[in-house]
């Protein structure tokens, strides 16, 4: 048996003894070194996550989709050279057969698993994880365990930067300074893009060198060549359309808890392109490369690391004593 975090109902989470996974055909078993807690995990914990209402997710549920670890065994049909390698993996696991998967869009496969989110594949907030080898990504030695657990949110951020379609020297406005918003800013800055951020509390972002971080009342009237909405504010999707330069792009990755409104007249009359981002899949490899090269150092985004026994407290919004104002808490399943 091994220890794993189990969500048993809205607002209920506990560490349970569960069977140690065995690598089935096409799978590996990974010893988890670090796992991140993100907003999706919190929504699954509170019961607010839309998947719980649509029926694709249900309790009991084992969460965790941001992770790094070491492969300890491989199943039939898997290259044995994976054994002993440090890895992370894609959250989106497609069926591999449908027209979307065949076209390279497995992240929107109608029958996909989402690790630790949708039913069917237990997550990484556990000592060990069974995971399909086809969706593994090797981590180089220059990417430590904590940084490896940030690859998944960085892959989402990478896709945001790509979707913004900006050239060096152009101006990006990022709405929201959570983990994905800040990683988007870091990756864009590494490309020579002029980055501005909108934040309710700008101090932490400014401490990372983003001097052009503004509250809503401070935001200057500048031409914004692209806007990324990485917030959960229901009014900000519409604000993004109103702020972006005509003929340019708005990228949506944040989700509000209530429906958000966009005036399509603004989008049409400004000839705005709106792009939605679901999942990190196509961004994982370039995110790893950015971390490995040192172009982006995400470690200041980690407020602290705690053991699995403290994961329920983190989901409930209780931050560990002595943690920094950074947005990300990591879990070390081996720690007590």
């Amino acid at each position: 048996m091994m220890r794993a975090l189990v969500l048993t109902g809205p607002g209920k989470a506990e560490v349970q003894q569960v069977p140690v996974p065995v690598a089935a055909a096409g799978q590996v078993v990974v010893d988890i070194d670090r796992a991140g807690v993100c907003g999706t995990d919190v929504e699954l914990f509170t019961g607010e996550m839309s998947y719980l209402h649509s029926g694709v997710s249900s309790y009991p549920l084992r969460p965790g989709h941001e992770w790094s670890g070491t492969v300890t065994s491989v199943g039939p049909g898997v290259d044995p050279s994976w054994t002993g390698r440090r890895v992370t993996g894609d959250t989106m696991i497609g069926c591999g057969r449908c027209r979307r998967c065949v076209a390279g869009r497995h992240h929107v496969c109608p029958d996909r698993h989402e690790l630790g989110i949708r039913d069917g594949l237990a997550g990484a907030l556990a000592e060990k994880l069974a995971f399909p080898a086809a969706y593994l990504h090797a981590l180089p030695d220059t990417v430590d365990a904590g940084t490896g657990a940030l690859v998944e949110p960085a892959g989402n951020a990478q896709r945001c930067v790509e979707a913004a379609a900006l050239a060096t020297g152009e101006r990006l406005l990022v709405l929201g300074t959570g983990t994905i918003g800040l990683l988007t800013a870091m990756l864009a800055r590494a490309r020579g893009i002029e980055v501005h951020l909108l934040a309710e509390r700008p101090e932490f972002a400014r401490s990372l060198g983003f001097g052009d971080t503004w509250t809503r009342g401070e935001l200057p009237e500048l031409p914004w060549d692209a806007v990324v909405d990485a917030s959960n504010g229901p009014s900000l999707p519409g604000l993004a359309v109103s702020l972006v330069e005509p003929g340019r792009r708005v990228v949506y990755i944040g989700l509000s808890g209530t429906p958000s409104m966009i005036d399509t007249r603004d989008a049409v009359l400004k000839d705005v392109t709106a792009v939605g981002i679901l999942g990190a899949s196509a961004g994982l490899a370039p995110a790893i490369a950015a971390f490995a090269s040192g172009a982006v150092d995400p470690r200041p985004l980690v407020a602290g690391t705690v053991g699995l026994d403290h994961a329920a407290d983190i989901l409930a919004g209780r931050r560990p004593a002595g943690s920094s104002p950074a947005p990300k808490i990591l879990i070390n399943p081996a720690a007590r």
Side-chain angles (χ1 to χ4, degrees):
M1 303 293 281
M2 70 169 188
R3 301 167 74 242
L5 185 73
V6 181
L7 307 183
T8 57
K12 299 178 180 179
E14 60 187 45
V15 176
Q16 296 182 1
Q17 292 286 330
V18 301
V20 172
V22 176
Q27 289 186 335
V28 301
V29 170
V30 179
D31 281 4
I32 298 297
D33 295 324
R34 295 291 187 276
V37 177
C38 88
T40 299
D41 301 316
V42 173
E43 288 189 353
L44 289 167
F45 170 73
T46 63
E48 297 171 326
M49 175 62 177
S50 62
Y51 285 177
L52 291 166
H53 305 286
S54 65
V56 297
S57 301
S58 61
Y59 301 116
L61 187 150
R62 284 171 48 188
H65 60 277
E66 304 175 357
W67 58 275
S68 69
T70 303
V71 176
T72 53
S73 64
V74 302
V78 176
D79 185 343
S81 69
W82 278 113
T83 305
R85 298 182 73 180
R86 298 176 54 254
V87 295
T88 187
D90 200 339
T91 299
M92 306 303 214
I93 313 299
C95 72
R97 302 177 302 275
C98 70
R99 66 190 302 268
R100 297 179 192 173
C101 286
V102 171
R105 294 181 287 123
H106 71 271
H107 63 294
V108 289
C109 169
D111 297 319
R112 69 186 180 274
H113 295 308
E114 294 182 25
L115 179 74
I117 300 173
R118 292 166 66 119
D119 290 347
L121 201 58
L125 283 168
E127 293 178 324
K128 295 176 182 289
L129 170 71
F131 191 80
Y135 291 87
L136 288 172
H137 287 259
L139 294 175
D141 292 340
T142 51
V143 176
D144 62 24
T147 302
L150 289 168
V151 165
E152 197 276 345
N156 282 279
Q158 176 72 27
R159 291 194 63 211
C160 289
V161 175
E162 296 284 353
L166 294 176
T168 299
E170 290 192 300
R171 184 179 294 120
L172 171 67
L173 176 62
V174 179
L175 310 182
T177 51
T179 301
I180 290 179
L182 289 170
L183 283 167
T184 299
M186 288 178 165
L187 289 160
R189 180 171 62 182
R191 292 186 175 200
I193 294 168
E194 179 185 326
V195 178
H196 296 246
L197 295 108
L198 182 68
E200 292 183 3
R201 293 179 293 276
E203 294 79 10
F204 180 71
R206 289 172 180 165
S207 76
L208 299 176
F210 294 106
D212 293 324
T213 301
W214 318 97
T215 63
R216 182 69 184 91
E218 297 171 335
L219 189 66
E221 294 185 7
L222 294 171
W224 307 108
D225 298 311
V227 180
V228 172
D229 178 16
S231 75
N232 59 6
S235 67
L236 293 189
L239 177 65
V241 173
S242 69
L243 289 174
V244 73
E245 277 286 279
R248 302 308 296 266
R249 291 188 167 208
V250 172
V251 181
Y252 293 112
I253 190 166
L255 291 173
S256 60
T258 57
S260 53
M261 301 297 290
I262 297 173
D263 190 335
T264 57
R265 294 171 296 184
D266 289 340
V268 170
L269 295 174
K270 293 179 68 175
D271 195 35
V272 170
T273 298
V275 183
I277 300 295
L278 175 68
S281 302
L284 293 171
I288 292 170
F291 289 173
S293 70
V296 172
D297 181 2
R299 290 174 295 181
L301 302 185
V302 177
T305 301
V306 299
L308 196 59
D309 290 326
H310 299 281
D313 287 336
I314 303 304
L315 291 170
R318 295 186 288 271
R319 291 170 69 88
S323 62
S324 80
K328 180 61 65 177
I329 304 291
L330 297 181
I331 305 297
N332 177 0
R336 298 282 179 161

